[in-house]
Amino acid sequence: MTRILAYRFSAFGDVAMTVPVFREFLEQNPNVEIVMVSRNNFESLFADIPNVIFHGIDLDEYKGFLGIRRLGKELLKKYNPDYVADLHDVIRSKILDKIYVRKGLKVFKINKGKEEKENLTNVWNLEKFQLKKTVERYADVFRDMGFKVDLSHQLRPQVIQKSGIGFAPFAQHKGKMLPLEKSYELVKILAQKNTIYFFGGGKKETETLESWEQQIPNTKSLAGKLNLSEELNRIAQLEVMISMDSANMHLASVVGTRCVSVWGATHPYAGFLGFGQSEDDVVQIKDLTCRPCSVFGDKECYRGDWACLEEINVQQIIDKI
């Protein structure tokens, strides 16, 4: 059995994107096992994949160079891997890479395509095109090791009887989020014929969604009520999920649920569309030449009017459903 030590510490959506890649890679290479090192609370993502050993850590326990060095030694002693896969390529993981190279291990790291992404998000660049999908970038790490990996890019529904619509109106950055008044309007229309389940986290989001639940019949807020395992189970039962370009889109992919995704400052061209999700289910303003202005949606609006989100009509989303 060949053992690969892999690490990706954050962000939630990016870690979730490794799941379908691991699943298909390990099915095609049954004599391999992956030790996945990530944050403790991400464990449920990998629960149903045979040949994945999840090693959860609290990053606060491994602060600074000395902390990362200690983590590197602990992992090496416990797992004695044949290969190392750096799926993150940030300062923390680069320190680990150096430790393992010195120990004589073969380290393979993700190529994030930084220059291509900088060019894509240059508002003066009018020649924009689809970059390599992030899931293929993950698969390339294993291909570089010499393994064969063919990704299907197909959803695998975990549940046959599906009902209800999920809605996750929040995202980490303003540039990714439909204005809340539009989201509220959308829910009011959809809830006339469907049960809508709200997903979110954190105190402020939970309060907002609970107040929507009280104001709009046929809605139910699940924000703050489920652990990750329960949330995945619930998303698996939905007919469709509506999400921003955020983690909930990737959770839908993990459990094989179709997702209608809303994109503002970001763009599927950067490679972050959920695994198996259809480009036909993407809602965006196509004729804005300044899009995408950001890979992560964390920049202020270059024009100042957030046209990429303000110009989206909720009917565009309803039409997809």
Side-chain angles (χ1 to χ4, degrees), residues 249-289:
M249 168 177 59
H250 301 299
L251 296 185
S253 286
V254 167
V255 295
T257 291
R258 174 182 163 231
C259 181
V260 172
S261 53
V262 178
W263 300 68
T266 60
H267 196 294
Y269 278 1
F272 292 101
L273 183 63
F275 184 92
Q277 301 297 344
S278 168
E279 285 173 32
D280 294 338
D281 286 331
V282 168
V283 176
Q284 60 185 338
I285 302 296
K286 284 188 172 171
D287 54 2
L288 276 175
T289 55

Side-chain angles (χ1 to χ4, degrees), residues 17-18 40 74 99 159 184-185 201 241 244 252 273 291:
M17 287 177 92
T18 66
N40 281 324
E74 286 173 13
I99 291 167
V159 176
Y184 185 82
E185 184 192 339
M241 173 64 118
M244 307 302 115
L273 183 63
R291 285 188 63 238

